[in-house]
Amino acid sequence: MFKYVMKRVCYAFLTILLLIAITFIMMHTAPGNPFSSNKATSQAIMDAKFARYGLDKPLYQQFFIYIGNVLQGDLGTSIKYNRPVTTIIGESFPVSFELGIRAIIISIVGGIGLGAYAAIRRGKAADTIAMTVAIIGVSVPSFIVAALLQYFVALKLNQAAGTVIFPISGWHNEMAKMLPSFALGLSSLATISRLMRTSMLDVMNSDYIKTAKAKGLSERTIVWKHAMRNAVMPVITVLGPLTASILTGAFVVEQVFSVPGMGKYFVISITERDYTMIAGTTVFYGAFLIIMTLLVDLAYGVIDPRVKLAES
Amino acid sequence: MKMAKLGKLALSFSLGLTLLAGCGGSGGTTSGGEVTINLGSEPPEMNSFLNTDSTSGNVLRHVIVGLTTLDQNDEAAPGVAESWTTSEDGLTYTFKLRADAKWNNGDVITANDFVFAWNQLFSTYNGADYASTWAVMFEGAEELMAATQTEEDAKSEAGQAAYANVGWKALDDSTLEVKFTGPYPYALSVLAFYNLAPISEKLYNEYGGIDYYGKEADKMAYNGPYTVTQWVHEDSLVMEKNPNYWDADSINIEKINCRMIKDTGAALNEFENGTIDMIGLNGEQAKDYRAKGENVQSFDDGSIWYLEFNTKRAGMNNAKVRKALTLGVDVEQYVANVVLNESKPAQSFTATSVNGGEFSEKVGTVWNRSNDYTEAKKLLEEGLAEEGLTLDTFKPVLVGDVGDTGKKTYQFVQEQLKKNLGVTMEIDQVEFKTRLQRMSDGDFDIVWAGWSCDYNDPMSYLDLWITDGGNNHGKWSNAEYDALIKAAYMEKDVEKRTQELLDAEKIIAEEVPIGPMYYRQKDYICSDKLVGVQRTAFREIDLRFASVK
């Protein structure tokens, strides 16, 4: 187990190094520079700014200096915002993370519940309704869901009630966090519910469930104790990538609800050629995703005793 | 991963390209003397001498005051300076500072606070973007910039000598002498610009110098009507009345909450919800509100939008061709169908918002736009023939920004030129930074570009097109024009100076280095409670004279 984890950590480290190298090359080949603006700046000022951010050095030197700084936990200063990248990430990531966690909880609880319920009520009205919801969730993009929620659930409800029930935007209180979390989680909820339904149907038709039924166990015991635990396995498999997509895909939802999260930095840093921010967000998220994947892999071993990590 | 990133990028453009709409009129929250407005984005820089961003400028306007300040007519009024005298030749100003001008911690503002701030501004190693724009105006500033490329240079003997020889001097704690390089009629209004505001050296160093000053609400000093009391980055910012401001009695609103909502749809919902008192509107929103009879307000933001021609490219090197392309676009139709608000077709280059429109009136209508394109077509054919081109071989490419808003504009121009002149023009939409790079590299035929002024004078527009000017991307060059601008710089006689600038406008009209399209108006709406908000080309958001009903 220990050996396996160490091996994975080494791979992770190499992956991040490669990620930084590729990011470095790509961002420096993109046309334009971080300091250009609509109004011309004198060459002397431009040179001074390049020197200030160490961009006057050869690229390979910048790369090694950067690696050295990263190892000391210094991601540099954002060129656009003039604040340390670690401070910006430190402020915005917890917000995105909380939004992501809320969305994941909504999608897991909702998705498993909806999927299992649809499977048990297969062919009945409840099944049709659940799967219609799932198809809508999968096919309608989150920015439309977000905009619709904001208009109908927040604005129209507030106007009807004559008071603010759901704030339109922001991240200031519990009610404000609900709609963005739901908007972000809906498509994963839909994916999980469809997966869960299929898996649950398989399990419910398997021999051991028939045996359980034959033994005269109550439906509650069969579903909760025997069927669910096995049916949920495929869902756990997709949780890794799903979590990744939720945590990195919040940009649009964050924008619509004006949530001060990290999503915008991915996009703005690239369009603004904010080199330190591009590299910083990439390293941070790269490391984060690699660690998450590792944790999910380890979680297999805990949940499913058949998976023996040491042997894999 | 790559695809996901590209997808996000595309989305950012479709969603992020919101018209930077204004905020205006009147709003209203429940508690007395408190309003909420939408800033639209995070102020990226609050260090006054480094800033060039208009969102930061909208906050700085309320919390920082320079020697002068712009009054309700956009004219320079006494700020930290209560009075001043001017020398006979109009070059030297002596400012007497108010005894009751204080920083928010209670320290009195001294002449040295200005000397320190300006020394920082013109120290090249600090990298202040507008330093070179202002340096031409102040004696010793260009020399200082030349001597301070690095911090080591600044510490050297030559650097120290340059600091000693600058044209701004503290004669005593409350007297500042400023020497200009010319008798600029706009000198006093430039002094109201935040780059030239005072900074307390003591507090600047206490807060950590260039790396930290102005990065957090409690990491900068304030001397204006308001102080920033809370700043949650990318989310909100709160300004509260500054009890140490000398004219605090004239300020009505106690507290201004600023939100940073980028999405115009979300901002609109907040306004409808009654939770924000002033928002900017994009063209479609403004049109809807106007149709509903709501009190949509607008202001001329001082920007002119134009086709910038690369005069080094075949076809575009001919004034007749440039003029024909300019006249070949029905700008009225463009404003009515694409811009969707009350923006005005450009009648000359200098925007109408300058000098209260006086200059524009004198220039008059130089572009006799009409729906009859026979003359434009004739001009085009003549011009192309002179360059050995035909309509089949002349296929210019228009470079513009990515995004739907831009696309509508470029496609409109494309259709117009095809329909009215028979010109086949292609469109190349690129990222903003790529466009800037291509402009400075001269890698374009035509660019859709805009300009807004830095100070309230036609010169802020007209000196763009001097030979080798940093913003003269089309590399147009005209000796007569250069001479006129140079003469106007140093001209003390106001009428003679105006005439020189008018003559320069005339040359633009004849030679068409750029094809003026329209002057932009921005729309905004206020709730019923917020009254007296002022928004102009020089004060995009100004709540200093506003009140809560």
mmCIF file of all heavy atoms in Angstrom, chain B residues 71 85 101 114 124 148 168 177 181 215 230 252 311 339 354 365 413 441-442 444 546:
data_model
loop_
_atom_site.group_PDB
_atom_site.id
_atom_site.type_symbol
_atom_site.label_atom_id
_atom_site.label_comp_id
_atom_site.label_asym_id
_atom_site.label_seq_id
_atom_site.Cartn_x
_atom_site.Cartn_y
_atom_site.Cartn_z
ATOM 1 N N ASP B 71 -15.328 69.610 -11.330
ATOM 2 C CA ASP B 71 -16.615 69.989 -10.759
ATOM 3 C C ASP B 71 -17.768 69.454 -11.611
ATOM 4 O O ASP B 71 -17.562 68.654 -12.509
ATOM 5 C CB ASP B 71 -16.686 71.510 -10.575
ATOM 6 C CG ASP B 71 -16.703 72.243 -11.911
ATOM 7 O OD1 ASP B 71 -16.834 71.582 -12.970
ATOM 8 O OD2 ASP B 71 -16.582 73.484 -11.894
ATOM 9 N N THR B 85 -1.472 80.670 -8.228
ATOM 10 C CA THR B 85 -1.113 81.793 -9.097
ATOM 11 C C THR B 85 -0.339 81.239 -10.281
ATOM 12 O O THR B 85 0.274 80.177 -10.192
ATOM 13 C CB THR B 85 -0.215 82.804 -8.362
ATOM 14 O OG1 THR B 85 0.915 82.091 -7.843
ATOM 15 C CG2 THR B 85 -0.961 83.462 -7.219
ATOM 16 N N ALA B 101 -6.784 70.091 4.737
ATOM 17 C CA ALA B 101 -6.774 68.865 3.918
ATOM 18 C C ALA B 101 -5.995 67.783 4.665
ATOM 19 O O ALA B 101 -4.823 67.960 4.969
ATOM 20 C CB ALA B 101 -6.138 69.150 2.569
ATOM 21 N N PHE B 114 2.761 65.489 -2.662
ATOM 22 C CA PHE B 114 2.660 65.567 -4.125
ATOM 23 C C PHE B 114 4.009 65.259 -4.758
ATOM 24 O O PHE B 114 4.101 64.527 -5.733
ATOM 25 C CB PHE B 114 2.171 66.960 -4.557
ATOM 26 C CG PHE B 114 0.719 67.170 -4.275
ATOM 27 C CD1 PHE B 114 0.291 67.743 -3.094
ATOM 28 C CD2 PHE B 114 -0.246 66.757 -5.197
ATOM 29 C CE1 PHE B 114 -1.056 67.918 -2.818
ATOM 30 C CE2 PHE B 114 -1.589 66.928 -4.931
ATOM 31 C CZ PHE B 114 -2.013 67.507 -3.740
ATOM 32 N N THR B 124 10.684 55.474 -13.824
ATOM 33 C CA THR B 124 10.344 54.466 -14.823
ATOM 34 C C THR B 124 10.251 53.054 -14.247
ATOM 35 O O THR B 124 9.372 52.280 -14.607
ATOM 36 C CB THR B 124 11.372 54.496 -15.971
ATOM 37 O OG1 THR B 124 11.382 55.814 -16.500
ATOM 38 C CG2 THR B 124 11.017 53.515 -17.073
ATOM 39 N N THR B 148 15.802 56.793 -14.636
ATOM 40 C CA THR B 148 15.326 55.859 -13.609
ATOM 41 C C THR B 148 14.798 54.555 -14.200
ATOM 42 O O THR B 148 13.785 54.028 -13.754
ATOM 43 C CB THR B 148 14.208 56.511 -12.762
ATOM 44 O OG1 THR B 148 13.202 57.005 -13.656
ATOM 45 C CG2 THR B 148 14.725 57.633 -11.907
ATOM 46 N N TRP B 168 8.679 70.103 -10.066
ATOM 47 C CA TRP B 168 7.697 70.213 -8.967
ATOM 48 C C TRP B 168 8.457 70.257 -7.648
ATOM 49 O O TRP B 168 9.305 69.420 -7.375
ATOM 50 C CB TRP B 168 6.696 69.057 -8.989
ATOM 51 C CG TRP B 168 7.291 67.684 -9.145
ATOM 52 C CD1 TRP B 168 7.581 66.806 -8.146
ATOM 53 C CD2 TRP B 168 7.658 67.016 -10.356
ATOM 54 N NE1 TRP B 168 8.112 65.646 -8.660
ATOM 55 C CE2 TRP B 168 8.169 65.744 -10.018
ATOM 56 C CE3 TRP B 168 7.610 67.371 -11.713
ATOM 57 C CZ2 TRP B 168 8.619 64.831 -10.964
ATOM 58 C CZ3 TRP B 168 8.058 66.464 -12.661
ATOM 59 C CH2 TRP B 168 8.559 65.208 -12.279
ATOM 60 N N GLU B 177 5.212 74.316 -6.036
ATOM 61 C CA GLU B 177 5.454 74.997 -7.299
ATOM 62 C C GLU B 177 5.572 73.953 -8.406
ATOM 63 O O GLU B 177 6.281 72.961 -8.257
ATOM 64 C CB GLU B 177 6.763 75.794 -7.201
ATOM 65 C CG GLU B 177 7.062 76.609 -8.443
ATOM 66 C CD GLU B 177 8.474 77.178 -8.393
ATOM 67 O OE1 GLU B 177 9.427 76.424 -8.697
ATOM 68 O OE2 GLU B 177 8.625 78.353 -8.025
ATOM 69 N N THR B 181 5.932 72.326 -19.242
ATOM 70 C CA THR B 181 6.788 72.528 -20.414
ATOM 71 C C THR B 181 6.117 73.404 -21.465
ATOM 72 O O THR B 181 6.731 73.785 -22.449
ATOM 73 C CB THR B 181 7.142 71.181 -21.064
ATOM 74 O OG1 THR B 181 5.920 70.469 -21.274
ATOM 75 C CG2 THR B 181 8.055 70.365 -20.170
ATOM 76 N N LYS B 215 -3.639 47.557 -2.430
ATOM 77 C CA LYS B 215 -4.108 46.213 -2.782
ATOM 78 C C LYS B 215 -5.273 45.758 -1.897
ATOM 79 O O LYS B 215 -5.997 44.845 -2.240
ATOM 80 C CB LYS B 215 -2.970 45.189 -2.672
ATOM 81 C CG LYS B 215 -1.691 45.579 -3.406
ATOM 82 C CD LYS B 215 -1.874 45.670 -4.908
ATOM 83 C CE LYS B 215 -0.570 45.989 -5.602
ATOM 84 N NZ LYS B 215 -0.575 47.317 -6.248
ATOM 85 N N GLN B 230 -14.448 48.478 3.230
ATOM 86 C CA GLN B 230 -14.485 47.022 3.072
ATOM 87 C C GLN B 230 -14.269 46.695 1.600
ATOM 88 O O GLN B 230 -14.825 47.365 0.731
ATOM 89 C CB GLN B 230 -15.851 46.520 3.524
ATOM 90 C CG GLN B 230 -15.870 45.030 3.787
ATOM 91 C CD GLN B 230 -17.297 44.518 3.900
ATOM 92 O OE1 GLN B 230 -18.231 45.264 4.176
ATOM 93 N NE2 GLN B 230 -17.479 43.242 3.676
ATOM 94 N N ASN B 252 -23.727 63.994 0.584
ATOM 95 C CA ASN B 252 -25.017 63.563 1.124
ATOM 96 C C ASN B 252 -25.081 62.093 1.488
ATOM 97 O O ASN B 252 -25.550 61.726 2.555
ATOM 98 C CB ASN B 252 -26.123 63.861 0.116
ATOM 99 C CG ASN B 252 -26.231 65.353 -0.139
ATOM 100 O OD1 ASN B 252 -26.197 66.161 0.788
ATOM 101 N ND2 ASN B 252 -26.318 65.736 -1.402
ATOM 102 N N THR B 311 -1.788 52.547 -43.516
ATOM 103 C CA THR B 311 -1.447 53.322 -44.709
ATOM 104 C C THR B 311 -0.211 52.789 -45.426
ATOM 105 O O THR B 311 0.246 53.377 -46.389
ATOM 106 C CB THR B 311 -1.226 54.810 -44.353
ATOM 107 O OG1 THR B 311 -0.133 54.905 -43.434
ATOM 108 C CG2 THR B 311 -2.466 55.402 -43.720
ATOM 109 N N VAL B 339 -25.917 49.216 -32.525
ATOM 110 C CA VAL B 339 -25.610 49.806 -31.219
ATOM 111 C C VAL B 339 -26.883 49.900 -30.375
ATOM 112 O O VAL B 339 -26.866 49.729 -29.165
ATOM 113 C CB VAL B 339 -24.964 51.206 -31.375
ATOM 114 C CG1 VAL B 339 -24.536 51.749 -30.020
ATOM 115 C CG2 VAL B 339 -23.767 51.130 -32.300
ATOM 116 N N VAL B 354 -15.810 66.758 -25.633
ATOM 117 C CA VAL B 354 -14.678 67.606 -25.250
ATOM 118 C C VAL B 354 -15.082 69.077 -25.199
ATOM 119 O O VAL B 354 -15.788 69.566 -26.093
ATOM 120 C CB VAL B 354 -13.521 67.409 -26.253
ATOM 121 C CG1 VAL B 354 -12.437 68.448 -26.039
ATOM 122 C CG2 VAL B 354 -12.961 66.022 -26.113
ATOM 123 N N THR B 365 -19.695 69.924 -39.559
ATOM 124 C CA THR B 365 -19.869 68.612 -40.168
ATOM 125 C C THR B 365 -18.889 68.452 -41.313
ATOM 126 O O THR B 365 -19.060 69.078 -42.349
ATOM 127 C CB THR B 365 -21.304 68.445 -40.679
ATOM 128 O OG1 THR B 365 -22.173 68.646 -39.577
ATOM 129 C CG2 THR B 365 -21.521 67.067 -41.265
ATOM 130 N N VAL B 413 -20.350 46.391 -41.299
ATOM 131 C CA VAL B 413 -19.417 47.129 -42.162
ATOM 132 C C VAL B 413 -19.180 46.351 -43.453
ATOM 133 O O VAL B 413 -19.193 46.911 -44.558
ATOM 134 C CB VAL B 413 -18.074 47.381 -41.430
ATOM 135 C CG1 VAL B 413 -17.051 48.009 -42.356
ATOM 136 C CG2 VAL B 413 -18.299 48.266 -40.212
ATOM 137 N N ASP B 441 2.345 45.697 -34.441
ATOM 138 C CA ASP B 441 3.241 45.154 -35.468
ATOM 139 C C ASP B 441 2.909 45.686 -36.866
ATOM 140 O O ASP B 441 3.610 45.394 -37.827
ATOM 141 C CB ASP B 441 3.145 43.619 -35.508
ATOM 142 C CG ASP B 441 3.705 42.979 -34.250
ATOM 143 O OD1 ASP B 441 4.380 43.689 -33.482
ATOM 144 O OD2 ASP B 441 3.461 41.775 -34.046
ATOM 145 N N GLY B 442 1.810 46.408 -36.992
ATOM 146 C CA GLY B 442 1.378 46.867 -38.310
ATOM 147 C C GLY B 442 0.873 45.714 -39.166
ATOM 148 O O GLY B 442 0.892 45.779 -40.394
ATOM 149 N N PHE B 444 -2.034 44.414 -40.242
ATOM 150 C CA PHE B 444 -3.474 44.518 -40.513
ATOM 151 C C PHE B 444 -3.708 45.411 -41.721
ATOM 152 O O PHE B 444 -2.823 46.172 -42.105
ATOM 153 C CB PHE B 444 -4.200 45.107 -39.295
ATOM 154 C CG PHE B 444 -3.800 46.541 -38.986
ATOM 155 C CD1 PHE B 444 -4.556 47.599 -39.463
ATOM 156 C CD2 PHE B 444 -2.666 46.821 -38.235
ATOM 157 C CE1 PHE B 444 -4.184 48.923 -39.201
ATOM 158 C CE2 PHE B 444 -2.296 48.134 -37.972
ATOM 159 C CZ PHE B 444 -3.054 49.186 -38.456
ATOM 160 N N ALA B 546 -24.631 63.347 -5.493
ATOM 161 C CA ALA B 546 -25.908 62.623 -5.474
ATOM 162 C C ALA B 546 -26.487 62.577 -4.067
ATOM 163 O O ALA B 546 -25.814 62.860 -3.085
ATOM 164 C CB ALA B 546 -25.686 61.211 -5.995
#
